[in-house]
Amino acid sequence: MNLIEILINIVKEIRLSGFLDIAFISVFIYVILILFKQSKARFILTGIVLLGVIYLIAQQLNLSLTTSLLRAFFAVIIIALIIIFQDEIRRFFEQIALWSLSSKLRSGTQTSPNDREIDILVQTLPDLADHKIGAIIVIEGNNSISEFIEGGELLDGNLSEALLKSLFDPHSAGHDGAVIIENGKIKLFAAHLPLSTNFSQLKNRGTRHAAALGLSEVTDALCLLVSEERGVISIARGGVLTQIDSEQLKLILKDFYYQKFPSVKKMPAIHFRSNFKEKIISVAVAVLLWFVFVHESRLVYRSFEIPVKVSIPASTMEIENITPEMVNITFLGPRREFYFFKANQVDLLLKITNPQTGTEHLEISESDLSFPEDLSLENVAPKNVSVQIDQKHKEKKTKSTK
């Protein structure tokens, strides 16, 4: 059977339930990929996925030590995952809760972009740029940025143009640090951000640009900055540094708040009209998972010819003949268990505890067999074995001499 015929047979086996299964899992994986796309945690998720692939390969190759260690690792990592991905998990269930609400309730729970916040920033930043006053303003996205912020003075004050200008006044002690905006309030000022080492984007830009770009590389926050040397406005988002004007600033802020507080009614358009690469990955992974856990888990019968081994404890006796020397053993197990299965993984050993010279008739039972635990014994043919036992040649020779 060639590859094309194998693929055709697999497609025939999928059926309607299989297609629905793959479609559901594809959507689930796609949503997870989108949620993790703007998060630093995506690198951790990638590492865990790679370990999962290694585990599946090791399981198929019967690498006992590797599978045992990884199984123990995955048993512990589930707790760590909840801690690492707590923000993403919270967002995921929030989205499910919103989608499940009735249309009447959804309209009441929608959050529109904060127009007041946008207006304040659109008015303040151009003024700072005109006066060549340096500034860094960070607007927190859906992921927490607290682990990447160092220092800073707690303020928790209402956002206003006057307050921003006073914080970035060159005579202010904390004017070189960043202002952190969270939920419409200035949470911190004079905060320090991680510096980027992406020199191809930074070029001749200063520390403010390196700090804004550095934070944008590890979080989904929007970083706004004003250069005191050139008096221009730039943004750093998703690890990309871009110079913009006032009109672009307003559009970018609206887009940012729309993504942070999306309209539930328009959510499907975001998921199904973009992110082509994530769609392909989701479908491919779903098909692979279906193949491994559904198609390859279906039970099949396989038969193998196994040599018969006989053990006797008496040192003065030996086995002259075993009839038959080979038996046919049939196993039932998941299809995937037989891909790398070899007959030498099965051991048939018959033990004679009290041997006597002559012919012993033995019946094969499951306890006489050693085979992989994922398989079950279905049949042994023939079940009876005849063993011819005689005294060792030396003993026979001694008797004949006498």
Side-chain angles (χ1 to χ4, degrees):
M1 184 180 292
N2 57 38
L3 180 60
I4 296 176
E5 291 176 339
I6 294 173
L7 292 175
I8 291 173
N9 289 335
I10 291 174
V11 172
K12 287 180 179 178
E13 290 184 33
I14 294 179
R15 301 176 184 175
L16 179 60
S17 60
F19 281 111
L20 292 175
D21 215 0
I22 291 171
F24 177 79
I25 296 300
S26 297
V27 173
F28 181 76
I29 295 171
Y30 176 78
V31 171
I32 291 176
L33 289 177
I34 296 304
L35 287 175
F36 282 92
K37 188 176 181 181
Q38 298 296 328
S39 171
K40 185 191 178 186
R42 67 184 183 273
F43 301 111
I44 301 173
L45 182 65
T46 303
I48 293 172
V49 170
L50 289 175
L51 285 178
V53 172
I54 293 171
Y55 172 76
L56 292 175
I57 294 172
Q59 192 177 42
Q60 295 299 321
L61 295 174
N62 294 313
L63 304 179
S64 302
L65 178 60
T66 304
T67 52
S68 299
L69 290 176
L70 288 177
R71 195 181 293 120
F73 170 77
F74 287 126
V76 176
I77 197 64
I78 190 69
I79 300 173
L81 287 177
I82 296 173
I83 298 172
I84 295 170
F85 298 130
Q86 55 184 321
D87 293 326
E88 286 78 8
I89 293 171
R90 175 180 54 79
R91 289 169 53 204
F92 176 74
F93 285 109
E94 282 176 354
Q95 296 290 359
I96 292 176
L98 287 174
W99 290 338
S100 64
L101 295 174
S102 66
S103 57
K104 185 176 181 180
L105 289 174
R106 280 203 304 263
S107 62
T109 58
Q110 293 180 40
T111 308
S112 59
N114 192 328
D115 293 332
R116 176 181 171 276
E117 198 167 331
I118 293 173
D119 289 341
I120 290 172
L121 293 171
V122 170
Q123 291 171 8
T124 305
L125 266 70
D127 283 351
L128 293 174
D130 290 339
H131 292 85
K132 292 189 176 182
I133 297 175
I136 305 181
I137 299 174
V138 176
I139 308 174
E140 189 174 52
N142 289 307
N143 303 126
S144 173
I145 62 174
S146 58
E147 62 180 300
F148 305 105
I149 304 298
E150 293 184 2
E153 299 293 333
L154 184 64
L155 181 60
D156 200 28
N158 292 325
L159 179 66
S160 68
E161 183 178 354
L163 182 55
L164 284 174
K165 288 182 177 179
S166 66
L167 292 174
F168 290 116
D169 186 286
H171 300 95
S172 169
H175 73 281
D176 283 330
V179 164
I180 312 298
I181 297 176
E182 181 182 330
N183 297 324
K185 289 192 172 185
I186 298 178
K187 182 180 179 181
L188 293 172
F189 71 96
H192 299 287
L193 312 181
L195 299 180
S196 172
T197 55
N198 188 344
F199 301 112
S200 61
Q201 286 202 69
L202 293 173
K203 296 180 181 178
N204 296 322
R205 295 183 173 108
T207 306
R208 282 193 179 88
H209 293 80
L213 183 60
L215 185 65
S216 75
E217 290 171 344
V218 293
T219 71
D220 64 344
L222 176 65
C223 301
L224 310 172
L225 59 149
V226 177
S227 170
E228 62 182 340
E229 292 84 7
R230 296 182 295 162
V232 295
I233 303 171
S234 300
I235 68 155
R237 187 181 185 189
V240 178
L241 189 62
T242 310
Q243 183 176 320
I244 59 171
D245 56 30
S246 300
E247 292 298 322
Q248 291 173 318
L249 173 62
K250 189 170 186 177
L251 293 174
I252 289 168
L253 286 169
K254 285 186 175 181
D255 178 68
F256 176 79
Y257 280 110
Y258 175 77
Q259 291 186 33
K260 185 175 180 179
F261 305 109
S263 168
V264 176
K265 292 181 179 179
K266 294 183 180 180
M267 189 69 70
I270 298 174
H271 287 296
F272 296 107
R273 295 182 185 176
S274 59
N275 303 309
F276 182 75
K277 183 177 74 174
E278 283 76 13
K279 293 177 192 174
I280 297 297
I281 293 174
S282 302
V283 174
V285 172
V287 171
L288 179 62
L289 291 174
W290 182 89
F291 181 80
V292 172
F293 292 103
V294 179
H295 180 270
E296 297 305 296
S297 65
R298 289 175 180 169
L299 299 178
V300 294
Y301 292 94
R302 293 287 187 271
S303 297
F304 303 90
E305 275 200 335
I306 307 299
V308 179
K309 301 175 184 177
V310 179
S311 170
I312 56 175
S315 59
T316 60
M317 295 184 182
E318 65 180 3
I319 298 169
E320 290 288 336
N321 185 44
I322 301 173
T323 306
E325 294 182 349
M326 305 285 290
V327 294
N328 190 277
I329 299 179
T330 302
F331 294 105
L332 174 66
R335 184 181 287 149
R336 62 175 176 268
E337 295 299 325
F338 293 107
Y339 277 160
F340 300 99
F341 184 86
K342 294 180 181 179
N344 60 15
Q345 292 178 251
V346 181
D347 191 32
L348 172 56
L349 178 62
L350 300 173
K351 297 180 180 179
I352 303 176
T353 56
N354 187 23
Q356 301 291 329
T357 57
T359 302
E360 291 269 5
H361 298 285
L362 306 173
E363 184 177 351
I364 300 173
S365 64
E366 187 170 345
S367 61
D368 299 319
L369 284 158
S370 174
F371 54 89
E373 60 181 9
D374 292 327
L375 303 179
S376 61
L377 180 66
E378 291 298 306
N379 187 45
V380 179
K383 286 188 176 181
N384 296 309
V385 175
S386 298
V387 181
Q388 181 67 37
I389 302 174
D390 203 350
Q391 291 183 341
K392 288 187 177 181
H393 294 297
K394 289 182 178 180
E395 295 292 328
K396 290 189 288 185
K397 185 176 180 181
T398 302
K399 287 181 181 181
S400 62
T401 302
K402 290 180 180 179

